[in-house]
Amino acid sequence: MSEFKEKFLREAIRLSIDNINDGHGGPFGAVIVKNGEIISKAVNKVISKKDPTAHAEIEAIRIASKKLNNFHLTGCEIYTTCEPCPMCLGAIYWAQIEKIYYANTRADAKKIQFDDEYIYEEFSKHYHERKIPISQHLRNEAIKAFEAWEKKTDKINY
């Protein structure tokens, strides 16, 4: 990684350390960059927002999307203090961010009680073997919304 890119990761690290001192959430920070310019900065706010989805990466994606007025963040890179969890990795893919740079590994996170391994394990299991029961109902009614969407001529695909 170039020194130019390292400065963005160092900014995410600085944010994460500040977040520990501020008490908003866990020791995580993220920075989204487009064309060499920081578009958004965020920290984990799970505790302060009482929101399990308020991870630094998700918060940074929300800020960047609003700033760029777009749900696609093509041309962007994300710099994050830890290997993204399954939720954040999914959001990064949905946002179409083009490159991920991270510092700590998920094994490092596990050592301080941020263990996502069980989620990765759950994803590999059949639905009926997972800890959280899942079952399908009312498809014949719900499919009508999908059919309406499919026929909609002015929809914006995403």
Side-chain angles (χ1 to χ4, degrees):
M1 176 188 295
S2 71
E3 282 185 43
F4 179 72
K5 291 182 181 279
E6 283 179 357
K7 75 177 184 178
F8 300 128
L9 192 51
R10 283 192 176 99
E11 177 61 9
I13 294 166
R14 183 193 65 75
L15 291 167
S16 71
I17 293 168
D18 288 350
N19 199 47
I20 295 166
N21 297 326
D22 294 342
H24 295 297
F28 305 98
V31 172
I32 295 180
V33 174
K34 185 171 186 174
N35 299 324
E37 177 187 340
I38 293 177
I39 301 301
S40 68
K41 302 178 190 184
V43 294
N44 179 290
K45 292 187 177 178
V46 169
I47 294 170
S48 63
K49 286 189 168 186
K50 296 173 181 44
D51 178 354
T53 68
H55 290 199
E57 297 92 335
I58 302 291
E59 294 290 301
I61 288 169
R62 289 173 178 155
I63 294 165
S65 294
K66 188 172 184 176
K67 183 173 181 179
L68 297 175
N69 195 33
N70 202 325
F71 47 80
H72 287 152
L73 299 178
T74 51
C76 291
E77 303 173 334
I78 191 165
Y79 297 78
T80 182
T81 56
C82 191
E83 184 176 354
C85 75
M87 176 184 68
C88 292
L89 188 58
I92 289 166
Y93 273 89
W94 278 113
Q96 298 183 9
I97 292 172
E98 296 181 5
K99 182 91 178 185
I100 303 166
Y101 297 94
Y102 69 92
N104 295 313
T105 66
R106 67 190 207 206
D108 296 327
K110 181 178 182 176
K111 288 178 186 175
I112 60 165
Q113 308 304 310
F114 291 97
D115 186 6
D116 299 326
E117 199 58 41
Y118 75 99
I119 298 172
Y120 290 102
E121 290 170 4
E122 284 289 294
F123 286 163
S124 67
K125 294 178 184 176
H126 187 275
Y127 291 145
H128 302 293
E129 297 171 339
R130 294 182 182 169
K131 290 181 182 181
I132 299 175
I134 184 171
S135 60
Q136 181 184 23
H137 305 277
L138 302 177
R139 181 182 179 273
N140 291 338
E141 293 177 34
I143 199 71
K144 292 176 180 153
F146 281 17
E147 291 166 349
W149 178 260
E150 185 177 37
K151 293 175 185 173
K152 186 172 174 61
T153 57
D154 62 342
K155 66 185 169 212
I156 298 173
N157 289 315
Y158 56 95

